[in-house]
Amino acid sequence: MSTQPVQYLDPETEDVCKRCGEKKAVLISRRDLFCAGCFVWFMRGKQRKSMLNERYKVKYGAVAERLGTQKVLLPVSFGASSLVLLDMVASLLQEQNLGHNGKQGFDLVVLHILEKKGPSREEAEQSLKRISESFKPVHIEVVVVDPNTFLLDKTSLQRIQVSAEFQVIHHIQELDQSTTVQSLLDACASNSSRDDLLQLVYHDLIRQTSVSQGCQTIILGHSMTRLASEVLSFAVKGRGSEIHHAIADRSISHGVNEIHILFPLRDILFAEVKAILDLTEGLEKFLVQNTTTASLVKNMTVQALSTKYFEDLGLNGYASTASTVVKTAEKLGAPKREITGQCRICSADIYTNPKQWLRSITVKAAAPLETDLERELAEEYANVIGCSDLEGEKLEVCYGCTVTLLGAGDKFAWPTRATKDEILDEFVLTDEE
Amino acid sequence: MPEKTTKRPKVTALCQHCHGRKAVMKRPKNHQKLCKECFFLVFETEIHNTITNAELFSRGEKVAIGASGGKDSTVLASVLKTLNERYDYGVHLVLLSIDEGIKGYRDDSLATVKRNKDQYQMDLEIVSYKDLYSWSMDEIVACAGMRNSCTYCGVLRRQALDRGAAQLGISHVVTGHNADDMAETVLMNILRGDTARLESSTSIMTQSSGSPIKRSKPFKYSYQKEIVLYAHYKKLDYFSTECSYAPEAFRGTARELLKSLEAVRPSCIMDIIYSGEHLALAPKKKKKTVAYKNKSKENMEQEIRPDGTVSLKTDGNTCEKCGYITSNKICKACVLLAGLESSRAKVGIEDGSKEGPAKLTRTLEQLTF
């Protein structure tokens, strides 16, 4: 009996695939013997089950009139999960195209966001073009986005500091032409905070690209293992109130549009995703492996630690824990409290004021001075160091971002989201204008 | 000007709160450098804030401190005595200990609790497994094996605390669960998919309608490291040996993960507790059923127990055997004891030997060859 989620068989084995009964089995997964073709087909079935909604099928007549042309955005980072999902979705489109005389249920837009350690723009476009051509006659649109696009609609930077009283303070700093997302992140002192803020940028860019390309759906290549580690990361970062929202198939409203966010690989473990990548011809050469050089625990991020935890569980025969965590998170709902505000960094809802919560459990009080020497030293301290009260306007920030900004250090600057009043002030004309 | 007898501390080595004394420690919660007096003050004030925010105590109440002799309960007794005098809660504090009957471990820790009784001038009540259940842990381990011993001990201890408090006429038990324990519990409930406990895993006060005893955790926001530092600087007397029968495999993996995360994100324990307070289950969609005309509404309100029987009481379920609160017809402790009873030998061999495996293990550890 297998204890690992995917167990490859000896090439000399005589076992035959349990599904087709013809070809030789190459692996054991979910307690079954599989040949290469049947395993890939089995996994594709799971992806298609999650996209059974009518808007992704080939539509005729009145239904086509009602739903119109559907566009689906698939962000590809050239990791295993996004490549496998691209292959699955493109093959689905290919079947629709062949079976329905050239009609497709939806149009596919592939998005790649340039990364520091990833391929260059030319390499990314070449790779995606080659992948698209292998699925002819399906047409796949390719979009490559620079992360500095995140700064285009921001008018100013905010120098953000967190005081000893856990109040988030900000004041305006000029946003000059040479500022990039990377330079902002380089000013961040902590690895985990840098990773958190980078994820913020990516989510924002994906949503922006979806709106600008007219897509109604975003599909993300998160496997079950990835979703489980996301749940754990959210819990560890103080974002428990966002778990129910972040990993469920959901819809978000953006102006008059509605964008659906799906996770088609949610029932597939990452080990199974890697197996699909190995067994699918011509897909592995596009894989960009981000070599994880972080051997020290101190250099890892919260996300990396969670991922490593679940992978270790999988190797030890407890891969079902990831499934348990994801199913538990799907049962969660919004907290049973009132929303008191919205974060200006990540736009999450705030249910409990983080400053008040932290201040009551982290007291900053001094025991009274008793001797003359102690009073002398206190005066000396005041002369040398003095009281360094931070100055600036207050900023409403959720708990997770408060801790992220605490880890970012004092010299950190970041754009904040405009409130509704600021947007109205910018566009409403007064009598004098 | 008389000559200075001690070296004058540098300005950068001074306490960050009072600025007048030399800092002797770095606080685990926020890495501030503090002197001893300021650390005592902020540690105690935070626990006071926790108690008053949650309204744990009421004047005239009798409160039992679950005392095991370890650092958590010892510091809890010391801090509660200090705060009761300083802020005048008006509660009467009592030490309540459980004797599991593990020779070589529990008898030594109970000796510590007896010394605490004298130091803090509190009453002490010791409830023994042997008296309540006719079984000691040494006998349970001999019968059921060491692997499952934590299950028996946890179930029996939780009920023994309630029974001991009821004997003393006390309706409030405080335990020394700290922030690290709360964070571990949140993580474990997520990893095990225990949705029934997920919402209440960070509750500071737990009480059910069927039981008169309520429990609370004043140390909910106190780090374990700070409790150790407090005990160290106050020179408190506590017992620190681990239990002899304690294999905790699954809890260990969550604990290891927590320690790795703490190296990466020093505030992760408090972050997990903040997350735990915001976890809530989505409301279930109520299925509409056809209401039959013949049935009256009273009959439709009957509660069905998990084992299929029907509860006739409206104020919580109680065990048919011992009368304590339970979700089933018979409580877990009685089920476990019945299982043990069927395996018990009619006649004991070696009548004179009363030492269990724990004592033997400790004796072997001290041998030298």
PDB file of all heavy atoms in Angstrom, chain A residues 45-68:
ATOM      1  N   GLY A  45     -10.218  15.285 -15.665  1.00  0.00           N
ATOM      2  CA  GLY A  45     -11.626  15.212 -15.297  1.00  0.00           C
ATOM      3  C   GLY A  45     -11.928  16.038 -14.061  1.00  0.00           C
ATOM      4  O   GLY A  45     -12.989  16.651 -13.956  1.00  0.00           O
ATOM      5  N   LYS A  46     -10.992  16.077 -13.120  1.00  0.00           N
ATOM      6  CA  LYS A  46     -11.214  16.886 -11.925  1.00  0.00           C
ATOM      7  C   LYS A  46     -11.240  18.366 -12.270  1.00  0.00           C
ATOM      8  O   LYS A  46     -12.028  19.136 -11.717  1.00  0.00           O
ATOM      9  CB  LYS A  46     -10.122  16.599 -10.902  1.00  0.00           C
ATOM     10  CG  LYS A  46     -10.245  15.216 -10.304  1.00  0.00           C
ATOM     11  CD  LYS A  46      -9.255  15.015  -9.204  1.00  0.00           C
ATOM     12  CE  LYS A  46      -9.493  13.677  -8.540  1.00  0.00           C
ATOM     13  NZ  LYS A  46     -10.843  13.542  -7.995  1.00  0.00           N
ATOM     14  N   GLN A  47     -10.353  18.762 -13.191  1.00  0.00           N
ATOM     15  CA  GLN A  47     -10.354  20.174 -13.582  1.00  0.00           C
ATOM     16  C   GLN A  47     -11.644  20.527 -14.294  1.00  0.00           C
ATOM     17  O   GLN A  47     -12.221  21.593 -14.069  1.00  0.00           O
ATOM     18  CB  GLN A  47      -9.145  20.443 -14.487  1.00  0.00           C
ATOM     19  CG  GLN A  47      -9.107  21.831 -15.082  1.00  0.00           C
ATOM     20  CD  GLN A  47      -9.615  21.853 -16.494  1.00  0.00           C
ATOM     21  OE1 GLN A  47      -9.454  20.917 -17.252  1.00  0.00           O
ATOM     22  NE2 GLN A  47     -10.264  22.941 -16.869  1.00  0.00           N
ATOM     23  N   ARG A  48     -12.117  19.641 -15.150  1.00  0.00           N
ATOM     24  CA  ARG A  48     -13.334  19.967 -15.915  1.00  0.00           C
ATOM     25  C   ARG A  48     -14.563  19.989 -15.032  1.00  0.00           C
ATOM     26  O   ARG A  48     -15.502  20.728 -15.302  1.00  0.00           O
ATOM     27  CB  ARG A  48     -13.516  18.951 -17.041  1.00  0.00           C
ATOM     28  CG  ARG A  48     -12.409  19.119 -18.062  1.00  0.00           C
ATOM     29  CD  ARG A  48     -12.402  18.073 -19.109  1.00  0.00           C
ATOM     30  NE  ARG A  48     -11.235  18.283 -19.972  1.00  0.00           N
ATOM     31  CZ  ARG A  48     -11.226  17.938 -21.250  1.00  0.00           C
ATOM     32  NH1 ARG A  48     -12.291  17.399 -21.797  1.00  0.00           N
ATOM     33  NH2 ARG A  48     -10.147  18.135 -21.967  1.00  0.00           N
ATOM     34  N   LYS A  49     -14.543  19.183 -13.973  1.00  0.00           N
ATOM     35  CA  LYS A  49     -15.681  19.192 -13.074  1.00  0.00           C
ATOM     36  C   LYS A  49     -15.852  20.557 -12.422  1.00  0.00           C
ATOM     37  O   LYS A  49     -16.964  20.983 -12.114  1.00  0.00           O
ATOM     38  CB  LYS A  49     -15.496  18.113 -12.011  1.00  0.00           C
ATOM     39  CG  LYS A  49     -16.721  17.827 -11.179  1.00  0.00           C
ATOM     40  CD  LYS A  49     -16.419  16.866 -10.063  1.00  0.00           C
ATOM     41  CE  LYS A  49     -16.100  15.488 -10.580  1.00  0.00           C
ATOM     42  NZ  LYS A  49     -15.815  14.550  -9.479  1.00  0.00           N
ATOM     43  N   SER A  50     -14.740  21.244 -12.209  1.00  0.00           N
ATOM     44  CA  SER A  50     -14.837  22.551 -11.564  1.00  0.00           C
ATOM     45  C   SER A  50     -15.232  23.643 -12.539  1.00  0.00           C
ATOM     46  O   SER A  50     -15.538  24.748 -12.121  1.00  0.00           O
ATOM     47  CB  SER A  50     -13.497  22.901 -10.927  1.00  0.00           C
ATOM     48  OG  SER A  50     -12.538  23.134 -11.920  1.00  0.00           O
ATOM     49  N   MET A  51     -15.208  23.362 -13.840  1.00  0.00           N
ATOM     50  CA  MET A  51     -15.605  24.367 -14.821  1.00  0.00           C
ATOM     51  C   MET A  51     -16.825  23.879 -15.584  1.00  0.00           C
ATOM     52  O   MET A  51     -16.900  23.967 -16.805  1.00  0.00           O
ATOM     53  CB  MET A  51     -14.441  24.665 -15.777  1.00  0.00           C
ATOM     54  CG  MET A  51     -13.269  25.299 -15.073  1.00  0.00           C
ATOM     55  SD  MET A  51     -11.886  25.670 -16.143  1.00  0.00           S
ATOM     56  CE  MET A  51     -12.480  27.110 -16.991  1.00  0.00           C
ATOM     57  N   LEU A  52     -17.783  23.334 -14.846  1.00  0.00           N
ATOM     58  CA  LEU A  52     -18.987  22.811 -15.475  1.00  0.00           C
ATOM     59  C   LEU A  52     -20.043  23.885 -15.688  1.00  0.00           C
ATOM     60  O   LEU A  52     -21.094  23.610 -16.246  1.00  0.00           O
ATOM     61  CB  LEU A  52     -19.592  21.707 -14.604  1.00  0.00           C
ATOM     62  CG  LEU A  52     -18.990  20.314 -14.737  1.00  0.00           C
ATOM     63  CD1 LEU A  52     -19.722  19.356 -13.825  1.00  0.00           C
ATOM     64  CD2 LEU A  52     -19.044  19.842 -16.167  1.00  0.00           C
ATOM     65  N   ASN A  53     -19.792  25.085 -15.221  1.00  0.00           N
ATOM     66  CA  ASN A  53     -20.801  26.118 -15.341  1.00  0.00           C
ATOM     67  C   ASN A  53     -21.120  26.395 -16.799  1.00  0.00           C
ATOM     68  O   ASN A  53     -20.289  26.235 -17.685  1.00  0.00           O
ATOM     69  CB  ASN A  53     -20.298  27.389 -14.652  1.00  0.00           C
ATOM     70  CG  ASN A  53     -21.407  28.386 -14.445  1.00  0.00           C
ATOM     71  OD1 ASN A  53     -21.787  29.097 -15.367  1.00  0.00           O
ATOM     72  ND2 ASN A  53     -21.934  28.419 -13.247  1.00  0.00           N
ATOM     73  N   GLU A  54     -22.337  26.831 -17.033  1.00  0.00           N
ATOM     74  CA  GLU A  54     -22.802  27.005 -18.405  1.00  0.00           C
ATOM     75  C   GLU A  54     -21.972  28.024 -19.178  1.00  0.00           C
ATOM     76  O   GLU A  54     -21.839  27.938 -20.398  1.00  0.00           O
ATOM     77  CB  GLU A  54     -24.262  27.447 -18.380  1.00  0.00           C
ATOM     78  CG  GLU A  54     -25.026  27.093 -19.630  1.00  0.00           C
ATOM     79  CD  GLU A  54     -26.508  27.211 -19.408  1.00  0.00           C
ATOM     80  OE1 GLU A  54     -26.931  28.222 -18.831  1.00  0.00           O
ATOM     81  OE2 GLU A  54     -27.237  26.292 -19.811  1.00  0.00           O
ATOM     82  N   ARG A  55     -21.394  28.977 -18.453  1.00  0.00           N
ATOM     83  CA  ARG A  55     -20.687  30.040 -19.164  1.00  0.00           C
ATOM     84  C   ARG A  55     -19.418  29.542 -19.816  1.00  0.00           C
ATOM     85  O   ARG A  55     -18.833  30.224 -20.646  1.00  0.00           O
ATOM     86  CB  ARG A  55     -20.381  31.193 -18.215  1.00  0.00           C
ATOM     87  CG  ARG A  55     -19.418  30.860 -17.114  1.00  0.00           C
ATOM     88  CD  ARG A  55     -19.083  32.130 -16.336  1.00  0.00           C
ATOM     89  NE  ARG A  55     -20.221  32.610 -15.582  1.00  0.00           N
ATOM     90  CZ  ARG A  55     -20.444  32.287 -14.308  1.00  0.00           C
ATOM     91  NH1 ARG A  55     -19.613  31.488 -13.688  1.00  0.00           N
ATOM     92  NH2 ARG A  55     -21.482  32.762 -13.679  1.00  0.00           N
ATOM     93  N   TYR A  56     -18.939  28.354 -19.461  1.00  0.00           N
ATOM     94  CA  TYR A  56     -17.724  27.840 -20.064  1.00  0.00           C
ATOM     95  C   TYR A  56     -18.004  26.793 -21.130  1.00  0.00           C
ATOM     96  O   TYR A  56     -17.073  26.257 -21.717  1.00  0.00           O
ATOM     97  CB  TYR A  56     -16.804  27.248 -18.991  1.00  0.00           C
ATOM     98  CG  TYR A  56     -16.574  28.185 -17.858  1.00  0.00           C
ATOM     99  CD1 TYR A  56     -16.970  27.861 -16.571  1.00  0.00           C
ATOM    100  CD2 TYR A  56     -15.983  29.428 -18.070  1.00  0.00           C
ATOM    101  CE1 TYR A  56     -16.792  28.744 -15.532  1.00  0.00           C
ATOM    102  CE2 TYR A  56     -15.806  30.312 -17.031  1.00  0.00           C
ATOM    103  CZ  TYR A  56     -16.214  29.962 -15.770  1.00  0.00           C
ATOM    104  OH  TYR A  56     -16.044  30.831 -14.737  1.00  0.00           O
ATOM    105  N   LYS A  57     -19.278  26.486 -21.358  1.00  0.00           N
ATOM    106  CA  LYS A  57     -19.608  25.499 -22.378  1.00  0.00           C
ATOM    107  C   LYS A  57     -19.848  26.202 -23.706  1.00  0.00           C
ATOM    108  O   LYS A  57     -19.990  27.427 -23.771  1.00  0.00           O
ATOM    109  CB  LYS A  57     -20.866  24.733 -21.978  1.00  0.00           C
ATOM    110  CG  LYS A  57     -20.709  23.908 -20.721  1.00  0.00           C
ATOM    111  CD  LYS A  57     -22.017  23.235 -20.380  1.00  0.00           C
ATOM    112  CE  LYS A  57     -21.874  22.382 -19.149  1.00  0.00           C
ATOM    113  NZ  LYS A  57     -23.173  21.805 -18.746  1.00  0.00           N
ATOM    114  N   VAL A  58     -19.911  25.383 -24.751  1.00  0.00           N
ATOM    115  CA  VAL A  58     -20.271  25.935 -26.056  1.00  0.00           C
ATOM    116  C   VAL A  58     -21.763  26.240 -26.039  1.00  0.00           C
ATOM    117  O   VAL A  58     -22.574  25.401 -25.659  1.00  0.00           O
ATOM    118  CB  VAL A  58     -19.931  24.939 -27.175  1.00  0.00           C
ATOM    119  CG1 VAL A  58     -20.325  25.510 -28.517  1.00  0.00           C
ATOM    120  CG2 VAL A  58     -18.455  24.621 -27.136  1.00  0.00           C
ATOM    121  N   LYS A  59     -22.118  27.453 -26.446  1.00  0.00           N
ATOM    122  CA  LYS A  59     -23.489  27.921 -26.278  1.00  0.00           C
ATOM    123  C   LYS A  59     -24.104  28.217 -27.647  1.00  0.00           C
ATOM    124  O   LYS A  59     -23.427  28.639 -28.581  1.00  0.00           O
ATOM    125  CB  LYS A  59     -23.508  29.185 -25.423  1.00  0.00           C
ATOM    126  CG  LYS A  59     -22.929  28.956 -24.042  1.00  0.00           C
ATOM    127  CD  LYS A  59     -22.708  30.258 -23.332  1.00  0.00           C
ATOM    128  CE  LYS A  59     -21.413  30.904 -23.740  1.00  0.00           C
ATOM    129  NZ  LYS A  59     -20.235  30.182 -23.251  1.00  0.00           N
ATOM    130  N   TYR A  60     -25.405  27.970 -27.771  1.00  0.00           N
ATOM    131  CA  TYR A  60     -26.137  28.248 -29.003  1.00  0.00           C
ATOM    132  C   TYR A  60     -27.396  29.021 -28.670  1.00  0.00           C
ATOM    133  O   TYR A  60     -27.909  28.944 -27.554  1.00  0.00           O
ATOM    134  CB  TYR A  60     -26.543  26.942 -29.708  1.00  0.00           C
ATOM    135  CG  TYR A  60     -25.377  26.124 -30.186  1.00  0.00           C
ATOM    136  CD1 TYR A  60     -24.863  25.105 -29.396  1.00  0.00           C
ATOM    137  CD2 TYR A  60     -24.793  26.360 -31.419  1.00  0.00           C
ATOM    138  CE1 TYR A  60     -23.796  24.350 -29.820  1.00  0.00           C
ATOM    139  CE2 TYR A  60     -23.731  25.609 -31.862  1.00  0.00           C
ATOM    140  CZ  TYR A  60     -23.236  24.609 -31.056  1.00  0.00           C
ATOM    141  OH  TYR A  60     -22.178  23.853 -31.487  1.00  0.00           O
ATOM    142  N   GLY A  61     -27.882  29.733 -29.646  1.00  0.00           N
ATOM    143  CA  GLY A  61     -29.207  30.327 -29.552  1.00  0.00           C
ATOM    144  C   GLY A  61     -29.344  31.308 -28.414  1.00  0.00           C
ATOM    145  O   GLY A  61     -28.516  32.191 -28.219  1.00  0.00           O
ATOM    146  N   ALA A  62     -30.421  31.140 -27.648  1.00  0.00           N
ATOM    147  CA  ALA A  62     -30.759  32.115 -26.617  1.00  0.00           C
ATOM    148  C   ALA A  62     -29.706  32.165 -25.526  1.00  0.00           C
ATOM    149  O   ALA A  62     -29.427  33.220 -24.967  1.00  0.00           O
ATOM    150  CB  ALA A  62     -32.125  31.767 -26.022  1.00  0.00           C
ATOM    151  N   VAL A  63     -29.117  31.012 -25.214  1.00  0.00           N
ATOM    152  CA  VAL A  63     -28.100  31.006 -24.156  1.00  0.00           C
ATOM    153  C   VAL A  63     -26.891  31.821 -24.595  1.00  0.00           C
ATOM    154  O   VAL A  63     -26.312  32.585 -23.826  1.00  0.00           O
ATOM    155  CB  VAL A  63     -27.698  29.556 -23.824  1.00  0.00           C
ATOM    156  CG1 VAL A  63     -26.649  29.523 -22.740  1.00  0.00           C
ATOM    157  CG2 VAL A  63     -28.927  28.781 -23.389  1.00  0.00           C
ATOM    158  N   ALA A  64     -26.508  31.675 -25.861  1.00  0.00           N
ATOM    159  CA  ALA A  64     -25.368  32.453 -26.353  1.00  0.00           C
ATOM    160  C   ALA A  64     -25.679  33.941 -26.314  1.00  0.00           C
ATOM    161  O   ALA A  64     -24.814  34.765 -26.008  1.00  0.00           O
ATOM    162  CB  ALA A  64     -25.013  32.009 -27.766  1.00  0.00           C
ATOM    163  N   GLU A  65     -26.933  34.282 -26.627  1.00  0.00           N
ATOM    164  CA  GLU A  65     -27.312  35.690 -26.562  1.00  0.00           C
ATOM    165  C   GLU A  65     -27.196  36.225 -25.142  1.00  0.00           C
ATOM    166  O   GLU A  65     -26.734  37.331 -24.910  1.00  0.00           O
ATOM    167  CB  GLU A  65     -28.759  35.846 -27.059  1.00  0.00           C
ATOM    168  CG  GLU A  65     -28.945  35.541 -28.532  1.00  0.00           C
ATOM    169  CD  GLU A  65     -28.446  36.675 -29.400  1.00  0.00           C
ATOM    170  OE1 GLU A  65     -28.434  37.820 -28.921  1.00  0.00           O
ATOM    171  OE2 GLU A  65     -28.049  36.412 -30.555  1.00  0.00           O
ATOM    172  N   ARG A  66     -27.629  35.415 -24.195  1.00  0.00           N
ATOM    173  CA  ARG A  66     -27.670  35.896 -22.805  1.00  0.00           C
ATOM    174  C   ARG A  66     -26.272  36.026 -22.226  1.00  0.00           C
ATOM    175  O   ARG A  66     -25.943  37.025 -21.587  1.00  0.00           O
ATOM    176  CB  ARG A  66     -28.521  34.937 -21.969  1.00  0.00           C
ATOM    177  CG  ARG A  66     -28.550  35.259 -20.500  1.00  0.00           C
ATOM    178  CD  ARG A  66     -29.688  34.539 -19.817  1.00  0.00           C
ATOM    179  NE  ARG A  66     -29.667  33.103 -20.045  1.00  0.00           N
ATOM    180  CZ  ARG A  66     -29.008  32.244 -19.281  1.00  0.00           C
ATOM    181  NH1 ARG A  66     -28.303  32.689 -18.265  1.00  0.00           N
ATOM    182  NH2 ARG A  66     -29.050  30.957 -19.543  1.00  0.00           N
ATOM    183  N   LEU A  67     -25.439  35.012 -22.444  1.00  0.00           N
ATOM    184  CA  LEU A  67     -24.132  35.020 -21.786  1.00  0.00           C
ATOM    185  C   LEU A  67     -23.083  35.793 -22.561  1.00  0.00           C
ATOM    186  O   LEU A  67     -22.120  36.294 -21.991  1.00  0.00           O
ATOM    187  CB  LEU A  67     -23.647  33.588 -21.559  1.00  0.00           C
ATOM    188  CG  LEU A  67     -24.408  32.820 -20.490  1.00  0.00           C
ATOM    189  CD1 LEU A  67     -23.888  31.401 -20.385  1.00  0.00           C
ATOM    190  CD2 LEU A  67     -24.285  33.505 -19.140  1.00  0.00           C
ATOM    191  N   GLY A  68     -23.245  35.872 -23.877  1.00  0.00           N
ATOM    192  CA  GLY A  68     -22.261  36.596 -24.662  1.00  0.00           C
ATOM    193  C   GLY A  68     -20.937  35.861 -24.714  1.00  0.00           C
ATOM    194  O   GLY A  68     -20.824  34.697 -24.356  1.00  0.00           O
TER     195      GLY A  68
END
